[in-house]
Each structure stands twice: as C-alpha cells, then as structure tokens.
Amino acid sequence: MPGTAFPAPALAVLGGDPAFAEPLHVGRPNIPRPERVLRRIREAMDRRWLTHFGPLVREFEARLAETAGVRHCVAVCNATLGLQVLARAAELDGEVVLPSFTFVATAHTLLWEGLTPVFCDIDERTGNIDPDHARRLVTERTSAVLGVHLWGHPAPTEELARLAADHELALFYDSAHAIGSAHAGRAVGGFGGAEVFSFHATKFINSFEGGAVVTDDDELAERVRLVHNYGRGDGARVRSIGTNAKMTEVAAAMGLTCLEEMPALLAVNREHHERYREGLADVPGVRLREPGPADRVNHQYVVIEVDAEASGLDRDAVAAALAAENVLVRTHFHPGCHRTEPYLREPRRFAPLPLPRTEALGERVISLPTGTAVTGKEVSAVCALLRRIVEHAPSVRRALRARPPATR
Ligand SMILES: *Cc1c(COP(=O)(O)O)cnc(C)c1O
C-alpha cells in the first residue's frame, strides 16, 4: 500500500518473532544430483566392488587431478588422514610452521604424527599465513611449512615457495576449503609439494566424508599411495608402515557427482556472494570479505567482519541477534589453534611469538549461510536483518545485556 508506513516487525532479540521459522545453517551440504549418486551406488553394489580402488574412486581421482592441474591424485577417507598420510610419506620431522587461524585439524594431524606444529600469524587483510612471520619461526628443527588456503582464498604461494627454497623446507597446503579456487590463473592443487582437499559434508564438494592428496611429485604420490593402504604395494607386498585411509566407492559416487556439478555450484555461490555484497554495501561497521584481485575462489564461505565501533555492536552481539532470528552463523576460526587445547597450555613450544593479528581477526568474523541449501530470498532476508540489527544497535545491546548469562 503506497503511502502507508508499515512498522517493520520487531527484531526477535527485541521481543518479535524470529524471522525464520526453521533454523538457517552455515555449511549445509550441497547435494546437486541425488538420483545420479544413488544410481552410481547401485552400480557399485551390483559390481560387488565397494572399496579398494574401485572404478568410481579411480574416476574421481582422474577428474580431481584434471581439476587441480596435476599428474597424481590419491583419494582418501578424509582430509585429516590425508594430511597425516602426507606428513608420513614425506618423512617430515621436528617442527612444521603453519597458521594458527585454521581449523584445529590442520594442527592436530601434525601433533598426531609426532611433529610439533609451530603457529605463525596472519596477514589481517587476507586472513592467510604471513610469510614474513613464518620466516621468523624457522629454526634448525623446522622441516616444513604447511599453508592453508583460508576460506578458499589462495595463500601467498609465491612468497611461501621462496621461504621454502631459502631454508630447504618442504611446502604443503591444507586445501580443505579451496577446490575450484585459483591464483593467477593456476588452479589450487598444484602449489607446493602437495595439497590436500577435504570433501567433508560441509565443504564445497563433498563425498559425505573424504579427501584427496594431489601432487606432481611421482615419488611422493607413490609413497602416499603406499602409506594410505597399509604400506602395501603391487601384489599386496608390504613395503612400509601404513594405515588405512582409503576412500569407499559410496564416497566416490557422491564426490564424482558433486565434482561434475561444480560449475553449477560455483554459480550459486557466486550469486549469493554478490547478493550479500549488494545487501550489505552500506551497513555501517559490516564489511564483506572479498578475494584478492588475482584470485578466483569458490565462495564456499561468505565471511563478514564486524567493526564494533562503527556498528555499535561487537561480533558476538551481532551473532546472538542473528541466532534469535534462527540464523545460526559461525565464527570460524576464532579463537585460533594456539588458544585451543592442547596447544594453549604450552605456548612456548607451539606459539613462541605473539599472534595479535590472528586474535584480532578472530574477534571480528562471522560466516553467513550460503550454498545450495539457502535461497537468494533467504540471503536477502539475512542482509535485511543485519541492517536492522545495526540500525537498532543501542536497544539490541541493552536487550542482550538484560539476558541471563547462559543465553548471551
Ligand atoms: C574441514 C577441514 C579439515 C578436515 O577435513 P576432514 O575431511 O573433515 O578431515 C582440515 N583443515 C581445514 C582447514 C578444514 O576446514
């Protein structure tokens, strides 16, 4: 009704009804062609070939190698074991320098393998590892640098390659977020000595659970293949220690189908990202994080930064106000691995230098819902909510303060 001023419904945190009846999640799986996945699983069962380098795993590996622009791909049951198998196959020892601002699995895999993760700080602008800070942490015990393409944004690959060459270190990447991303026209997957993708259900491409080690190094690929299969080589002859990190045919059925649909998934993510950009453009104190000019990214994560001074609300208040609306956002990777057990209790060993930029960025970020499980309309509604939450910052702040501590 033109000319009639409708009062907007009250924010839930101020006593209104939640904007969403059902919770909106971050990281709900992309499942682009379920009927095709089921057909492939049915075919695997008909073949009675369920695991152990079946045709689906081999096809998935071939397509992944092509996507990453490398010669070798070994599919694994998850990225955590992929990183462990890689560390073992590369015979790393001593210390490995990595960013603290990552999912804790990046660090755990190293400690599990008897290595010492040593945390370095980030470049606040990109959120990625700061190569200068990493350089300051190299000692005679350092054997490798493990970069992370945070939120799918490529790490500073040129600088890290230089650092690794200067100190004769191995260089690997945790590429759990970054399949489909590229830097300067080169696909993620081909940087460093090897990279490890994750196909966990919440990731851009999923195989329920899964991962892959990709590399151009013939010898390393051979060793990864051995270690991930109980150390057994051709003719089942045991040639080294190994574990079981193989991918199943069921996982490959899902992974392969998602990979085939990657262009469509990318288009949805891009559209959502653009919608967030438009919807949040002039919301004071809320800034959408964008990829670097030389980067192509999969937009698996939509991350905003909250500037508490400009918005009138700190990040936790914004997240709480969104949660009241049934928008369940995440704050990855707060508070950083170095402030997580077991690393927290031994700062001199794991974090010998202070990590102020990791801590500062961790306090400001929010991951918003995206992917095929949300609609453009829902994305617009989240933007509108953010705008109104900031508009009503003083009352939102007061309402949150009045809550009993457990619900804050
Ligand atoms: C998800 C994730 C992992 C672990 O992957 P899984 O396949 O679940 O084992 C490792 N590193 C990062 C950065 C991740 O986000």
Side-chain angles (χ1 to χ4, degrees):
M1 257 183 282
T4 313
F6 275 110
L11 289 167
V13 73
L14 302 179
D17 292 326
F20 292 92
E22 297 294 324
L24 216 58
H25 292 275
V26 173
R28 287 195 89 193
N30 291 319
I31 310 173
R33 303 286 293 268
E35 70 298 332
R36 191 177 291 181
V37 177
L38 290 172
R39 200 186 67 225
R40 282 182 157 137
I41 293 173
R42 175 79 225 188
E43 286 165 4
M45 291 193 290
D46 290 345
R47 276 192 295 272
R48 293 185 185 270
W49 195 349
L50 306 184
T51 186
H52 246 88
F53 323 122
L56 291 174
V57 163
R58 279 180 303 182
E59 188 181 350
F60 190 33
E61 287 180 341
R63 297 223 183 164
L64 285 167
E66 198 181 310
T67 304
V70 295
R71 282 203 302 282
H72 305 285
C73 172
V74 180
V76 289
C77 56
N78 60 60
T80 302
L81 269 163
L83 286 162
Q84 281 175 226
V85 164
L86 175 60
R88 197 53 87 111
E91 298 181 324
L92 301 186
D93 59 10
E95 299 175 354
V96 177
V97 177
L98 76 164
S100 170
F101 202 60
T102 178
F103 182 50
V104 76
T106 317
H108 280 355
T109 61
L110 300 171
L111 194 59
W112 195 271
E113 289 300 320
L115 301 159
T116 303
V118 175
F119 298 114
C120 72
D121 215 348
I122 51 169
D123 175 343
E124 253 180 287
R125 197 177 40 84
T126 64
N128 269 315
I129 182 169
D130 172 357
D132 294 325
H133 200 261
R135 192 178 283 271
R136 289 169 56 202
L137 288 164
V138 173
T139 69
E140 68 277 9
R141 294 178 299 280
T142 310
S143 66
V145 175
L146 180 58
V148 178
H149 304 298
L150 186 80
W151 297 316
H153 296 201
T157 52
E158 290 97 348
E159 292 91 331
L160 290 178
R162 215 171 304 131
L163 169 62
D166 289 349
H167 294 276
E168 295 182 29
L169 304 173
L171 171 60
F172 299 122
Y173 288 99
D174 175 339
S175 312
H177 302 166
I179 189 156
S181 293
H183 174 66
R186 186 160 157 213
V188 162
F191 295 104
E195 304 204 37
V196 181
F197 293 126
S198 170
F199 307 122
H200 181 261
T202 57
K203 303 300 205 287
F204 177 47
I205 299 295
N206 91 86
S207 63
F208 300 104
E209 291 254 14
V213 182
V214 288
T215 180
D216 263 329
D217 182 331
D218 302 347
E219 215 170 294
L220 184 62
E222 173 71 23
R223 293 187 51 78
V224 166
R225 203 167 273 290
L226 266 184
V227 173
H228 102 300
N229 183 36
Y230 325 98
R232 291 203 304 183
D234 290 341
R237 192 164 62 88
V238 178
R239 291 169 45 196
S240 74
I241 188 175
T243 185
N244 177 9
K246 296 189 306 299
M247 176 178 273
T248 67
E249 289 288 274
V250 168
M254 181 68 143
L256 201 48
T257 309
C258 287
L259 193 60
E260 283 167 356
E261 297 301 315
M262 190 162 82
L265 297 176
L266 204 52
V268 169
N269 280 1
R270 234 181 242 138
E271 221 175 278
H272 286 345
H273 189 89
E274 275 158 27
R275 200 178 275 263
Y276 274 119
R277 183 189 297 138
E278 279 165 30
L280 299 175
D282 51 357
V283 178
V286 172
R287 191 175 72 83
L288 180 66
R289 292 186 66 90
E290 299 280 3
D295 297 337
R296 189 187 74 213
V297 305
N298 60 29
H299 292 295
Q300 163 175 195
Y301 299 96
V302 169
V303 181
I304 56 167
E305 262 180 72
V306 178
D307 175 340
E309 233 171 83
S311 71
L313 292 168
D314 64 23
R315 185 272 312 278
D316 290 342
V318 173
L322 284 171
E325 307 289 350
N326 250 335
V327 181
L328 308 183
V329 300
R330 306 299 295 265
T331 57
H332 324 120
F333 289 93
H334 176 81
C337 294
H338 71 293
R339 291 196 292 176
T340 306
E341 292 297 357
Y343 312 104
L344 177 63
R345 79 181 74 155
E346 285 185 82
R348 266 205 294 265
R349 178 169 170 221
F350 298 116
L353 297 177
L355 307 174
R357 286 166 278 147
T358 297
E359 296 181 6
L361 185 63
E363 303 285 339
R364 297 199 302 267
V365 289
I366 291 181
S367 291
L368 296 171
T370 187
T372 55
V374 295
T375 64
K377 220 172 129 195
E378 288 169 331
V379 167
S380 295
V382 172
C383 293
L385 282 171
L386 271 163
R387 177 180 305 275
R388 295 192 30 240
I389 288 166
V390 171
E391 268 169 18
H392 294 90
S395 11
V396 169
R397 238 181 5 245
R398 268 194 304 277
L400 287 172
R401 261 204 306 268
R403 284 178 169 193
T407 64
R408 255 177 228 162

